[in-house]
Amino acid sequence: MTRLLKLEQSAQGVARIILNRPEVHNAFNDVLIEQLTQTLEQLGQDPAVRVVVLTGEGHSFCAGADLNWMRAMAGYDEATNHADATRLATLMDTLANLPKPTIARVNGAAYGGGVGLVACCDMAVALEGASFALTEVKLGLVPAVISPYVITAIGERQARRWFLTAEAMSASVAETIGLVHEVAAEDMLDDVVDGWVRAILRAGPQAVSASKRLIARISADCQLRDGRLIDDTTKLIAQLRVSEEGQEGLSAFLEKRKPKWQL
């Protein structure tokens, strides 16, 4: 199987995952989802790994769903869509609850599920020219699977705007609403990441892992390991994908035309 990501590991315990589909802006498909989930699970269990950095090859971080994957989803029945969405939900859950600290190095555009990856990481720094968008409603869909993580990151009030309008936001706006912690010029992006890595490596690894568990346990709004939540969100997106509106939205997008509801 072709590897759709690259993994680099240092002697200091830094694992760097690079989404490696630059020709499609590092968009998801079922293979990338499987490989990324497996890689995260392996790194989470490796005692030599102290911190995980996630980034993209080329000029984009992650453009969300791959067109061919979306085309296939449009033809799935509801049960198959539910199983498909559950695989993506498992990826997000694995990243959000990884026992190692995670850093999103957002080197360019992040859309849809790419925003979910950013929100699932413990820390995020974005290139000053990066853009972000939750575009699902344009397709007659919702950002269901990633919603627990994005809402935890930006809050309900901000979600009401960005989920409903599907507007693009700049890196500076993403920082203001809490999606990313810092914005950096291109020549400073790695300096920010390296500074966080050095700080983490100075801390006790067991204490860092325990801190992550503590935050998840104490936060009243953070119940991301609740199986009911995963089940509810994956069922919702599966239902919408096979609905009349969802089918029209996906078809319009793939056919490069306006959906019927758009004026």
Side-chain angles (χ1 to χ4, degrees), residues 3 7 10 31 40 42 84 90 118 122 130 141 146 154 167 172 176 188-189 210 224 245:
R3 294 295 295 175
L7 176 62
S10 75
V31 178
L40 288 168
Q42 292 165 5
D84 183 79
T90 300
V118 176
D122 299 315
L141 304 175
I146 65 173
I154 69 175
E167 296 170 280
S172 61
T176 299
M188 295 297 294
L189 190 62
L224 302 182
E245 182 170 294

mmCIF file of all heavy atoms in Angstrom, residues 3 7 10 31 40 42 84 90 118 122 130 141 146 154 167 172 176 188-189 210 224 245:
data_model
loop_
_atom_site.group_PDB
_atom_site.id
_atom_site.type_symbol
_atom_site.label_atom_id
_atom_site.label_comp_id
_atom_site.label_asym_id
_atom_site.label_seq_id
_atom_site.Cartn_x
_atom_site.Cartn_y
_atom_site.Cartn_z
ATOM 1 N N ARG A 3 2.277 4.694 0.890
ATOM 2 C CA ARG A 3 2.242 5.481 2.118
ATOM 3 C C ARG A 3 1.863 6.910 1.787
ATOM 4 O O ARG A 3 2.516 7.578 0.976
ATOM 5 C CB ARG A 3 3.603 5.457 2.808
ATOM 6 C CG ARG A 3 4.019 4.085 3.319
ATOM 7 C CD ARG A 3 3.115 3.578 4.412
ATOM 8 N NE ARG A 3 3.181 4.389 5.618
ATOM 9 C CZ ARG A 3 2.400 4.198 6.685
ATOM 10 N NH1 ARG A 3 1.467 3.262 6.686
ATOM 11 N NH2 ARG A 3 2.528 4.968 7.749
ATOM 12 N N LEU A 7 6.842 9.747 8.171
ATOM 13 C CA LEU A 7 7.107 9.784 9.602
ATOM 14 C C LEU A 7 8.591 9.961 9.820
ATOM 15 O O LEU A 7 9.405 9.183 9.314
ATOM 16 C CB LEU A 7 6.623 8.499 10.276
ATOM 17 C CG LEU A 7 6.930 8.353 11.774
ATOM 18 C CD1 LEU A 7 6.234 9.452 12.569
ATOM 19 C CD2 LEU A 7 6.509 6.973 12.275
ATOM 20 N N SER A 10 13.179 11.619 15.835
ATOM 21 C CA SER A 10 14.505 12.034 16.282
ATOM 22 C C SER A 10 14.921 11.249 17.513
ATOM 23 O O SER A 10 14.093 10.641 18.204
ATOM 24 C CB SER A 10 14.503 13.531 16.615
ATOM 25 O OG SER A 10 13.835 13.758 17.852
ATOM 26 N N VAL A 31 -7.656 5.649 2.800
ATOM 27 C CA VAL A 31 -6.316 5.105 3.055
ATOM 28 C C VAL A 31 -5.533 6.014 3.992
ATOM 29 O O VAL A 31 -4.890 5.544 4.940
ATOM 30 C CB VAL A 31 -5.559 4.904 1.728
ATOM 31 C CG1 VAL A 31 -4.147 4.378 1.994
ATOM 32 C CG2 VAL A 31 -6.317 3.937 0.821
ATOM 33 N N LEU A 40 -0.637 7.062 14.629
ATOM 34 C CA LEU A 40 -0.854 7.693 15.929
ATOM 35 C C LEU A 40 -0.947 6.651 17.043
ATOM 36 O O LEU A 40 -0.377 6.843 18.131
ATOM 37 C CB LEU A 40 -2.130 8.531 15.886
ATOM 38 C CG LEU A 40 -2.046 9.825 15.070
ATOM 39 C CD1 LEU A 40 -3.433 10.420 14.866
ATOM 40 C CD2 LEU A 40 -1.136 10.841 15.742
ATOM 41 N N GLN A 42 0.465 3.748 17.142
ATOM 42 C CA GLN A 42 1.811 3.220 17.387
ATOM 43 C C GLN A 42 2.664 4.210 18.178
ATOM 44 O O GLN A 42 3.359 3.826 19.132
ATOM 45 C CB GLN A 42 2.481 2.900 16.055
ATOM 46 C CG GLN A 42 1.847 1.726 15.316
ATOM 47 C CD GLN A 42 2.273 1.641 13.858
ATOM 48 O OE1 GLN A 42 3.130 2.405 13.401
ATOM 49 N NE2 GLN A 42 1.690 0.711 13.126
ATOM 50 N N ASP A 84 -18.088 4.535 7.374
ATOM 51 C CA ASP A 84 -17.044 5.410 6.855
ATOM 52 C C ASP A 84 -16.788 6.574 7.811
ATOM 53 O O ASP A 84 -15.641 6.900 8.132
ATOM 54 C CB ASP A 84 -17.468 5.927 5.482
ATOM 55 C CG ASP A 84 -16.424 6.797 4.830
ATOM 56 O OD1 ASP A 84 -15.461 6.246 4.290
ATOM 57 O OD2 ASP A 84 -16.575 8.030 4.866
ATOM 58 N N THR A 90 -12.884 7.840 14.644
ATOM 59 C CA THR A 90 -11.857 7.118 15.394
ATOM 60 C C THR A 90 -10.511 7.816 15.276
ATOM 61 O O THR A 90 -9.753 7.916 16.252
ATOM 62 C CB THR A 90 -11.751 5.668 14.899
ATOM 63 O OG1 THR A 90 -13.018 5.017 15.091
ATOM 64 C CG2 THR A 90 -10.667 4.899 15.641
ATOM 65 N N VAL A 118 -6.521 20.193 13.473
ATOM 66 C CA VAL A 118 -5.941 21.298 14.240
ATOM 67 C C VAL A 118 -6.548 21.352 15.637
ATOM 68 O O VAL A 118 -5.839 21.480 16.645
ATOM 69 C CB VAL A 118 -6.149 22.638 13.505
ATOM 70 C CG1 VAL A 118 -5.626 23.800 14.355
ATOM 71 C CG2 VAL A 118 -5.468 22.625 12.139
ATOM 72 N N ASP A 122 -3.001 19.442 20.838
ATOM 73 C CA ASP A 122 -2.886 20.206 22.086
ATOM 74 C C ASP A 122 -2.456 21.640 21.841
ATOM 75 O O ASP A 122 -2.870 22.554 22.561
ATOM 76 C CB ASP A 122 -1.871 19.528 23.017
ATOM 77 C CG ASP A 122 -2.295 18.120 23.397
ATOM 78 O OD1 ASP A 122 -3.485 17.936 23.732
ATOM 79 O OD2 ASP A 122 -1.448 17.220 23.334
ATOM 80 N N ALA A 130 -2.035 31.269 6.245
ATOM 81 C CA ALA A 130 -2.947 30.126 6.234
ATOM 82 C C ALA A 130 -4.400 30.593 6.313
ATOM 83 O O ALA A 130 -4.696 31.659 6.852
ATOM 84 C CB ALA A 130 -2.633 29.193 7.402
ATOM 85 N N LEU A 141 -24.400 19.492 4.244
ATOM 86 C CA LEU A 141 -23.911 18.604 5.300
ATOM 87 C C LEU A 141 -23.578 19.427 6.539
ATOM 88 O O LEU A 141 -23.811 20.632 6.578
ATOM 89 C CB LEU A 141 -22.671 17.840 4.815
ATOM 90 C CG LEU A 141 -22.830 17.028 3.527
ATOM 91 C CD1 LEU A 141 -21.493 16.433 3.104
ATOM 92 C CD2 LEU A 141 -23.872 15.931 3.700
ATOM 93 N N ILE A 146 -16.220 16.220 13.499
ATOM 94 C CA ILE A 146 -15.191 17.068 14.115
ATOM 95 C C ILE A 146 -15.777 18.060 15.108
ATOM 96 O O ILE A 146 -15.040 18.749 15.813
ATOM 97 C CB ILE A 146 -14.379 17.821 13.044
ATOM 98 C CG1 ILE A 146 -15.262 18.808 12.273
ATOM 99 C CG2 ILE A 146 -13.687 16.835 12.109
ATOM 100 C CD1 ILE A 146 -14.487 19.708 11.315
ATOM 101 N N ILE A 154 -13.048 26.454 20.045
ATOM 102 C CA ILE A 154 -13.448 27.844 19.749
ATOM 103 C C ILE A 154 -14.673 28.296 20.530
ATOM 104 O O ILE A 154 -14.970 29.494 20.546
ATOM 105 C CB ILE A 154 -13.689 28.049 18.238
ATOM 106 C CG1 ILE A 154 -14.947 27.306 17.760
ATOM 107 C CG2 ILE A 154 -12.466 27.611 17.442
ATOM 108 C CD1 ILE A 154 -15.293 27.572 16.290
ATOM 109 N N GLU A 167 -17.821 30.586 6.084
ATOM 110 C CA GLU A 167 -16.853 31.598 5.658
ATOM 111 C C GLU A 167 -15.422 31.107 5.880
ATOM 112 O O GLU A 167 -15.171 30.318 6.787
ATOM 113 C CB GLU A 167 -17.018 32.875 6.479
ATOM 114 C CG GLU A 167 -18.332 33.591 6.322
ATOM 115 C CD GLU A 167 -18.451 34.696 7.359
ATOM 116 O OE1 GLU A 167 -18.779 34.408 8.521
ATOM 117 O OE2 GLU A 167 -18.173 35.858 6.983
ATOM 118 N N SER A 172 -5.047 35.011 11.575
ATOM 119 C CA SER A 172 -5.184 35.918 12.717
ATOM 120 C C SER A 172 -6.542 35.759 13.389
ATOM 121 O O SER A 172 -6.646 35.813 14.624
ATOM 122 C CB SER A 172 -4.966 37.367 12.284
ATOM 123 O OG SER A 172 -5.918 37.763 11.314
ATOM 124 N N THR A 176 -7.489 34.521 17.196
ATOM 125 C CA THR A 176 -8.383 35.288 18.070
ATOM 126 C C THR A 176 -9.460 34.412 18.694
ATOM 127 O O THR A 176 -9.793 34.574 19.872
ATOM 128 C CB THR A 176 -9.036 36.436 17.279
ATOM 129 O OG1 THR A 176 -8.009 37.309 16.797
ATOM 130 C CG2 THR A 176 -10.005 37.219 18.138
ATOM 131 N N MET A 188 9.567 31.799 10.731
ATOM 132 C CA MET A 188 9.477 31.651 12.179
ATOM 133 C C MET A 188 8.610 30.466 12.600
ATOM 134 O O MET A 188 8.531 30.153 13.793
ATOM 135 C CB MET A 188 8.926 32.936 12.804
ATOM 136 C CG MET A 188 9.836 34.139 12.648
ATOM 137 S SD MET A 188 11.425 33.916 13.508
ATOM 138 C CE MET A 188 10.886 33.865 15.221
ATOM 139 N N LEU A 189 7.965 29.819 11.641
ATOM 140 C CA LEU A 189 7.027 28.736 11.961
ATOM 141 C C LEU A 189 7.714 27.623 12.747
ATOM 142 O O LEU A 189 7.227 27.179 13.795
ATOM 143 C CB LEU A 189 6.404 28.192 10.674
ATOM 144 C CG LEU A 189 5.222 27.225 10.811
ATOM 145 C CD1 LEU A 189 4.046 27.891 11.502
ATOM 146 C CD2 LEU A 189 4.805 26.708 9.432
ATOM 147 N N ALA A 210 -0.198 12.815 32.257
ATOM 148 C CA ALA A 210 -1.197 12.952 33.321
ATOM 149 C C ALA A 210 -1.923 14.285 33.225
ATOM 150 O O ALA A 210 -3.125 14.373 33.518
ATOM 151 C CB ALA A 210 -0.528 12.810 34.688
ATOM 152 N N LEU A 224 -15.084 13.720 25.253
ATOM 153 C CA LEU A 224 -14.827 13.266 23.893
ATOM 154 C C LEU A 224 -14.623 11.758 23.774
ATOM 155 O O LEU A 224 -14.644 11.234 22.682
ATOM 156 C CB LEU A 224 -13.603 14.000 23.347
ATOM 157 C CG LEU A 224 -13.726 15.527 23.341
ATOM 158 C CD1 LEU A 224 -12.490 16.142 22.727
ATOM 159 C CD2 LEU A 224 -14.965 15.973 22.589
ATOM 160 N N GLU A 245 -31.080 16.618 0.344
ATOM 161 C CA GLU A 245 -30.262 17.830 0.317
ATOM 162 C C GLU A 245 -28.777 17.494 0.255
ATOM 163 O O GLU A 245 -28.015 18.131 -0.489
ATOM 164 C CB GLU A 245 -30.556 18.692 1.539
ATOM 165 C CG GLU A 245 -29.779 20.008 1.554
ATOM 166 C CD GLU A 245 -30.253 20.948 2.645
ATOM 167 O OE1 GLU A 245 -31.408 21.409 2.547
ATOM 168 O OE2 GLU A 245 -29.472 21.218 3.580
#
